[in-house]
Amino acid sequence: MRAEGNNKGRHGLHLAPPREGKVDVLFIAGEHSGDQHAASIALELAATHPEWKQVALGGPALRSAGVQVLHDLTRDSVVGLVEVLRNYPFFRQLFGELVRWIGTHQPRIVVLVDYPGFNLRLAEALRRGGISRKGGGNVAVYQYVSPQIWAWKAGRRFKMAGTLDELGVIFPFEVACYADTVLPVRFVGHPFASREYRNPLRYDPEGPILLLPGSRKQAVARIFPLMVRAIRQLIDDGVRHRCVCLYPGDGIRYILEQELGRQHIPPEMITLRSVETGTTANSVLTSSGTMSLNCALAGIPGAVVYRAHPLTTWIGKRLVKVDWLGIANLVLGRELYPEYLQEAARPEELAARIGAILAHPEMREPFAEGAQELRECLGAEEAFSVPERLERLMEASSR
């Protein structure tokens, strides 16, 4: 099913108007993980406020939640400076059309879900255009998930304070990062730590080797070939074990199939499966994205693998100030998952890591302990609720 409003004619991309002639909540979710988080929020809002009209630039999860999706932004997700520049003309056109749409249809609140490169610029454009509250207009702007200001570009927090009405963070340590601003910041708990969340992954000592190359096309095209060569190395070393690779959508599945074809991999060697079906696993090679946290919460032993464009890496080394890339490592403040980044991500090293886990099941113990520690860190028992915060902002707009 296609998203509504993806038409391109003489005047370029055009977003359709809201079906009901009005819109209460507009979600902007540019990645698969953000699409899923936004869908959960949308379902909660629909249960408590069925009269609210919800619209989105998002993906299949939001559509399944009953939200009118104007454009599938998850299909356009890119990462890295080079990739962003390559796709700049399209994003510029989409951005301009979105600002026009918001100014015309005046949603009561815009919920920006992660995706800071796009979303924070949108918040600034709405302020400059006099559309948002911070610009003198009527549209409230709420950001869900903080950009990684604790890693790089910390100065963004002051601009965010001037463009956002509120920020909901999913890691408890992030609240203190904004203590010197006037921006209201509340820890809302990580969605993966909620009682309702069902982790698609589960540890099983008899399960397959799990491969998680990510959800962004350019990154997957660099990471997945390394993973496949690592599995080949295992076989060359006499270790034959079934493998499962999860993908978030058809675009990623196509990249995976192309790579398996290039490397002449028999279908029975690596099974491709939608991330929605989930899987058990006894070990994992994962990119540094959202699914790596699912692995950690399931206590699946393994390693983080990542390669970016060389130029992106060169710039990143001069800007990023973190000790680890994996989410679990960052939250725990220690290396639970060994990280194989850039040139260190060699197939023989990855194969040796997985081979050791297969040969020594006791290596799983620290991962099981780490999973419990993560759940305690990320739990939302005393956190604020995103739907409740949105309700408060909506109430303020109707006064």
Side-chain angles (χ1 to χ4, degrees):
M1 181 178 178
R2 289 176 58 86
E4 298 180 35
N6 268 1
N7 301 317
K8 291 184 179 180
R10 285 187 306 170
H11 304 291
L13 187 146
H14 176 72
L15 300 176
R19 294 194 198 107
E20 307 295 330
K22 60 169 285 190
V23 56
D24 294 293
V25 183
L26 170 65
F27 291 98
I28 310 294
E31 298 169 307
H32 291 280
S33 57
D35 179 43
Q36 293 164 353
H37 298 333
S40 297
I41 297 170
L43 287 171
E44 287 191 57
L45 289 177
T48 55
H49 295 280
E51 75 281 7
W52 285 5
K53 309 306 177 186
Q54 302 187 64
V55 177
L57 264 70
L62 275 162
R63 188 181 302 114
S64 295
V67 177
Q68 180 188 1
V69 176
L70 304 173
H71 177 82
D72 189 344
L73 195 56
T74 65
R75 293 187 308 181
D76 307 315
S77 180
V78 296
V79 61
L81 176 64
V82 174
E83 289 81 7
V84 170
L85 291 175
R86 186 179 296 134
N87 291 275
Y88 179 73
F90 166 77
F91 281 108
R92 181 180 180 182
Q93 182 185 36
L94 176 62
F95 191 91
E97 170 63 6
L98 178 57
V99 172
R100 182 204 65 79
W101 192 97
I102 295 172
T104 299
H105 298 290
Q106 293 284 307
R108 293 169 64 195
I109 186 167
V110 175
V111 182
L112 309 173
V113 185
D114 203 354
Y115 208 49
F118 186 95
N119 280 337
L120 294 185
R121 286 181 174 83
L122 177 61
E124 173 63 19
L126 296 179
R127 183 196 66 80
R128 288 199 313 267
I131 298 171
S132 69
R133 289 186 192 172
K134 287 299 180 83
N138 299 315
V139 178
V141 180
Y142 179 90
Q143 173 79 31
Y144 173 61
V145 182
S146 169
Q148 298 175 350
I149 66 165
W150 32 267
W152 71 308
K153 295 178 70 174
R156 286 179 289 180
R157 66 190 188 279
F158 298 111
K159 180 174 285 189
M160 291 167 65
T163 59
L164 302 176
D165 292 291
E166 189 169 312
L167 170 65
V169 299
I170 60 176
F171 297 116
F173 66 82
E174 291 177 312
V175 175
C177 296
Y178 294 87
D180 58 352
T181 76
V182 297
L183 178 63
V185 180
R186 293 172 173 84
F187 172 57
V188 295
H190 198 287
F192 290 179
S194 69
R195 289 195 184 96
E196 295 76 21
Y197 182 70
R198 295 294 177 265
N199 193 334
L201 308 179
R202 182 168 58 86
Y203 173 73
D204 180 356
E206 303 301 321
I209 299 169
L210 176 59
L211 305 178
L212 294 170
S215 61
R216 291 166 166 172
K217 295 177 181 179
Q218 291 84 2
V220 170
R222 292 190 179 93
I223 295 170
F224 188 58
L226 300 172
M227 294 180 171
V228 175
R229 289 198 288 272
I231 299 305
R232 275 198 176 280
Q233 182 66 52
L234 274 175
I235 294 175
D236 292 343
D237 294 340
V239 180
R240 299 189 66 88
H241 202 93
R242 60 195 177 97
C243 303
V244 169
C245 178
L246 300 185
Y247 61 85
D250 290 341
I252 299 298
R253 182 182 65 182
Y254 177 78
I255 294 173
L256 302 178
E257 290 173 341
Q258 292 293 104
E259 183 59 34
L260 293 177
R262 275 192 292 270
Q263 296 203 34
H264 305 291
I265 303 299
E268 67 275 8
M269 184 173 160
I270 300 177
T271 301
L272 302 183
R273 186 182 300 171
S274 169
V275 69
E276 296 175 356
T277 66
T279 186
T280 61
N282 67 359
S283 57
V284 64
L285 293 176
T286 177
S287 70
S288 60
T290 303
M291 285 298 289
S292 71
L293 183 57
N294 273 319
C295 294
L297 288 169
I300 301 172
V304 170
V305 185
Y306 196 80
R307 269 195 186 177
H309 190 282
L311 178 58
T312 300
T313 304
W314 184 83
I315 294 173
K317 286 180 178 179
R318 286 152 179 78
L319 297 177
V320 177
K321 302 174 182 177
V322 292
D323 295 322
W324 300 283
L325 198 61
I327 297 176
N329 294 345
L330 284 166
V331 174
L332 296 176
R334 58 185 171 84
E335 188 180 75
L336 177 63
Y337 283 81
E339 299 189 355
Y340 297 86
L341 312 178
Q342 297 304 109
E343 294 79 8
R346 297 188 297 272
E348 60 272 18
E349 295 289 337
L350 303 179
R353 175 69 184 171
I354 295 299
I357 293 171
L358 295 178
H360 303 283
E362 67 274 11
M363 289 181 67
R364 195 256 172 171
E365 292 177 9
F367 292 90
E369 295 169 358
Q372 180 58 35
E373 191 177 344
L374 280 169
R375 282 190 286 271
E376 292 172 359
C377 289
L378 301 177
E381 290 300 322
E382 298 186 11
F384 291 89
S385 158
V386 175
E388 288 177 2
R389 297 310 309 165
L390 298 183
E391 289 170 2
R392 292 283 184 89
L393 287 171
M394 298 280 267
E395 288 171 2
S397 68
S398 59
R399 290 171 187 164

